[in-house]
Amino acid sequence: MLKTIGVASVDDLIDQTIPAGIRLKAALDVPEPETEAAYLRRLANIAARNVPTRSYIGMGYYDCVTPSVILRNVFENPGWYTPYTPYQAEIAQGRLESLLNFQTVVKDLTAMDIATASLLDEGTAAAEAMTMFHRLQTRKAPAGQESVFLVSERCFPQTIDVLRGRAEPLGIRLEIGDPSSLPMDRAFGALLQYPDDRGEVSDLRPFIERAHGAGLLVAVASDLMALTLLTPPGEMGADAVVGNSQRFGVPLGYGGPHAAFFATRESFVRQAPGRIIGISVDARGRQAYRMALQTREQHIRREKATSNICTAQALLANIAAMYAVFHGPAGLRSIAERIHSLTASLEAAVTSLGYRQANGAYFDTLRIEGANLSAVRAAASAAGIDFRYDGEAIGISLDETTTVEDVQDVVKVFARVQEREGTAIIRRDAPFRLKAPSALHRTSKYLTHPVFNSHHSETHMMRYIRSLERKDVGLDTSMIPLGSCTMKLNAASEMLPVTWPSFSRMHPFAPAEQAQGYRQIFEELERALCKVTGLDAVSLQPNSGAQGEFAGLMTIRAFHHDRGQPERDVVLIPASAHGTNPASATMAGLKVVVVACDNNGYIILDDLRAKAEQYKRTLSSLMVTYPSTYGVFEEDIKEICRVVHDNGGQVYMDGANMNAQVGLTSPAAIGADVCHLNLHKTFAIPHGGGGPGMGPIAVAKHLAPYLPGHPVVNVGGSKAIPAIAAAPWGSASILLISYGYIRMLGGPGMTEATRYAILNANYLKARLQGHYDVLYANHNGRVAHEMIFDLRPFKHGGGPSVDEQDVAKRLMDYGFHAPTVSFPVAGTMMIEPTESEPKDELDRFADALISIRAEIQAIVDGKADPVDNVLKNAPHTAAELTADAWTHPYSREQAAYPLAYLRAQKFWPSVSRIDNPYGDRNLICACPPMEAYEEVGVK
């Protein structure tokens, strides 16, 4: 590899790649690396410090049962947790179908028109509803007056806090209180909770009708399990319904990851946040799934994007969807009826002891008032039981895992306080009765599609899951060479502990003394990330890279405001930045000013100086990705940071490419004040087909007081900004993966990973640069961890046209996922091999691209038909190759087996090239009726 690159050693390559002025002089000061066996033994001891009790805290988080067939075949299966976001739909039909199932579950249970393919958590989903309503409303607040959003005081406290953080920088004022008395004259929207924070269920129709009469849009935060029994918000007139699908088979995980849901009216579809899976047709007229309405993606719209969502919760949405497929509508209703019946039995037993239960109508939660809280807390603690203690009341939320014995144990706690005997009378043969007015009893059907009524045995379910898996390319199939979003090894020993009960069954609001194992891991992880970044403090709360961007900018904003400089609201963003950067800046109330880059991808220093000086009095910050999205290390990065600091700004470093820094340089070394870290990239959390992810932020000492807080659990700085995520530590359970990555590699291993990421990238560059032009490199001709190949000459050469999409689709015939196409430069492809891939895989990929280059040349030379050729018709399916008729001027062998290795290992795309415009013109984003299959020629 070194010989091919033309260097004597890896050290020489690194010296030629990373500017000397920012190189670290000392090794990373983190604990020594552990073997996998030693790590797992030590982690088991740490896990024992967690004490999962019988939790009845609720508040949006409930224990549940993950069916073993789903746990083993989805959650623990690299075929499901290693694929990338399904931008290349032809090799993602399995998870696209599953995400469409998820959308259908949400759409049916909420009774709304459309649903998206998951959001990060319930709090951020509610915030997205608020900002969507804000965009939709034509009624503007008078000049100098804030827009008003009404929030029921019965919403979960963590949701309200997330709303606070999202509302303030956008000039939205929250009015929080009793919905019946909130003034509507200046408001543009409202948020209700159903069932509410106390567990009570009430008819929302009077409020929604009054709100609509006043011109407001209304969102409802709800519970999918409750909606199997209760009248859905869509039937009450709601304009959006949000919530958390966690109790559909997704472990508690001390707060995440969990798939939020978002459903709304069809007329709002182009303003809905996140991704929507739709149905189109392929080149042969067959039904095919795809991500719809991609023009809303923040990478394209930048500061005009509707949200900064990049990573969602696809893996967890797929688990929730599979849970619904496995149980079906009858099974879900049975689970819900059992939960409710046990809750009603508990109410009868507790009230028979003389306690008062305040909720007149409920699903799974009782509110006990007038009890001796300290006595109940002591008795419950002695019994290993956690209730919610809310002011002068006790909340008790039951869930799928609650047993008859559990109910008896709860009754005994309340009886013990009175020194009495208490027993719950549970009649298994009693007819089901819902403790709610008849107007709130659900009568409409849901999940009527055959997919939810066909897979209720383990055999059926296993085969369905595996049939979808076989349609997709993941890391278990081949290298995924995506620039910008590294798909690297997710080691089994890093993944294994996520499902251990001592980690997976912890409630995020459990008393701190019960979660000492988690606390130890958080403290060690924060220290390690401080060492890696050179910064002083870390918040683990942001649960995606884009949320980390927002959190970092909000800490900077709080810093300026605290110093009496609220006018600092301009952010400088290089043209080479990730698309989420300007979107996040807009969310944080900042004005984006673009800084130009030169032909080598470097920031033009004179342009930066001029704009920093121009906005000196209002400069908030610079957002810089390092190394840049163009795949090069800025030579003048320290000077760039100095210019910003000299003009009163702060430097935010986007850590998306941190995997090219670890152990060799750092954000502190370049002069950054804050950075986010894509743990789902550099630190090995798997992408899961589009999420989960984590985006903690590291900050310098002067920004530490502003790190995000939380209204339920004490986290964050002394002057904390509001919560960024609904859970105190975001998606806490997957922090275990990055913790394992750091502890098993140690400083030398992480540094070596960085060196090999750079080595592998430069090796591919050396092998391919005679065939494709590399768009950007430094003055030594070196790239960092990724590179951009220019395909525009093939499209604009005056002859037959081949574009980046043709190459992307043809790579599928060679068994590879396409690189990132048309980002950050249209007409290009960005390749990042990662440190995980061995030389033989790199060579196989290089051979594929070289072979494709020859196929392009055949078109250019007129040896291949300019329209009917292997590139324009790619990918080729097995159905096409085995059909009786073959009308193409090239052979079946050339289509299917252009290189010899494919005969030993061939991945067959399940559909031909998908017609995206057809899908946008004919948007279907839920499971279609069976006759629709026939309409598109599918039998």
Side-chain angles (χ1 to χ4, degrees), residues 165-182:
R166 290 285 293 273
E168 193 267 338
L170 298 178
I172 297 171
R173 178 163 58 84
L174 300 185
E175 288 198 1
I176 304 165
D178 181 347
S180 64
S181 60
L182 288 173

Side-chain angles (χ1 to χ4, degrees), residues 679-733:
L679 298 190
H680 50 286
K681 181 179 181 182
T682 302
F683 296 94
I685 292 175
H687 211 278
M694 280 292 279
I697 58 171
V699 299
K701 187 175 182 180
H702 62 281
L703 294 177
Y706 311 102
L707 289 175
H710 195 273
V712 181
V713 178
N714 183 24
V715 297
S718 57
K719 300 178 180 180
I721 62 173
I724 296 294
W729 293 275
S731 297
S733 66

Side-chain angles (χ1 to χ4, degrees), residues 596-614:
C597 294
D598 65 19
N599 291 335
N600 290 318
Y602 294 136
I603 293 171
I604 298 176
L605 200 51
D606 287 343
D607 190 52
L608 175 78
R609 288 194 182 105
K611 286 171 177 170
E613 179 64 30
Q614 177 184 353

Side-chain angles (χ1 to χ4, degrees), residues 566-886:
E567 69 278 5
R568 291 194 172 274
D569 62 355
V570 169
V571 58
L572 303 179
I573 301 182
S576 62
H578 279 94
T580 51
N581 287 179
S584 296
T586 301
M587 281 174 50
L590 301 173
K591 299 169 185 173
V592 175
V593 174
V594 177
V595 179
C597 294
D598 65 19
N599 291 335
N600 290 318
Y602 294 136
I603 293 171
I604 298 176
L605 200 51
D606 287 343
D607 190 52
L608 175 78
R609 288 194 182 105
K611 286 171 177 170
E613 179 64 30
Q614 177 184 353
Y615 297 101
K616 182 173 186 175
R617 297 187 182 279
T618 57
L619 181 62
S620 164
S621 50
L622 165 76
M623 296 187 82
V624 59
T625 303
Y626 201 72
S628 77
T629 306
Y630 291 165
V632 291
F633 284 93
E634 295 277 352
E635 305 278 342
D636 297 319
I637 188 64
K638 293 183 79 170
E639 176 63 12
I640 288 166
C641 294
R642 189 192 65 77
V643 168
V644 174
H645 288 144
D646 286 351
N647 287 280
Q650 297 285 289
V651 175
Y652 168 90
M653 194 205 85
D654 184 311
N657 296 335
M658 189 69 195
N659 55 307
Q661 286 197 44
V662 177
L664 300 179
T665 183
S666 72
I670 72 170
D673 301 287
V674 56
C675 73
H676 90 265
L677 300 166
N678 281 357
L679 298 190
H680 50 286
K681 181 179 181 182
T682 302
F683 296 94
I685 292 175
H687 211 278
M694 280 292 279
I697 58 171
V699 299
K701 187 175 182 180
H702 62 281
L703 294 177
Y706 311 102
L707 289 175
H710 195 273
V712 181
V713 178
N714 183 24
V715 297
S718 57
K719 300 178 180 180
I721 62 173
I724 296 294
W729 293 275
S731 297
S733 66
I734 58 173
L735 291 172
L736 292 164
I737 301 167
S738 298
Y739 175 74
Y741 178 87
I742 292 170
R743 290 307 302 252
M744 285 185 277
L745 282 177
M750 287 192 290
T751 304
E752 197 73 348
T754 307
R755 285 156 54 88
Y756 272 85
I758 293 171
L759 172 69
N760 284 359
N762 281 277
Y763 176 67
L764 276 184
K765 175 179 179 291
R767 281 217 58 195
L768 293 169
Q769 62 187 0
H771 305 276
Y772 301 89
D773 294 333
V774 176
L775 207 51
Y776 305 108
N778 71 7
H779 65 277
N780 293 316
R782 305 303 177 206
V783 296
H785 61 301
E786 64 189 6
M787 74 222 81
I788 299 174
F789 286 105
D790 193 358
L791 301 180
R792 292 172 296 183
F794 307 132
K795 187 175 183 179
H796 304 295
S801 178
V802 172
D803 63 24
E804 70 283 0
Q805 287 294 339
D806 296 327
V807 176
K809 304 307 180 188
R810 180 58 172 156
L811 270 170
M812 298 175 190
D813 288 332
Y814 286 81
F816 285 104
H817 194 291
T820 302
V821 295
S822 296
F823 175 80
V825 180
T828 66
M829 119 184 130
M830 182 161 56
I831 294 173
E832 180 175 358
T834 84
E835 75 277 9
S836 300
E837 297 300 342
K839 181 178 180 297
D840 61 327
E841 185 74 352
L842 300 179
D843 284 331
R844 194 165 69 91
F845 178 67
D847 290 344
L849 280 175
I850 292 168
S851 178
I852 290 172
R853 180 64 182 85
E855 293 171 348
I856 295 172
Q857 194 62 42
I859 299 171
V860 172
D861 294 342
K863 297 177 182 178
D865 189 287
V867 176
D868 190 2
N869 57 66
V870 287
L871 283 113
K872 291 294 181 183
N873 294 330
H876 296 82
T877 65
E880 293 173 74
L881 271 295
T882 56
D884 290 340
W886 181 261

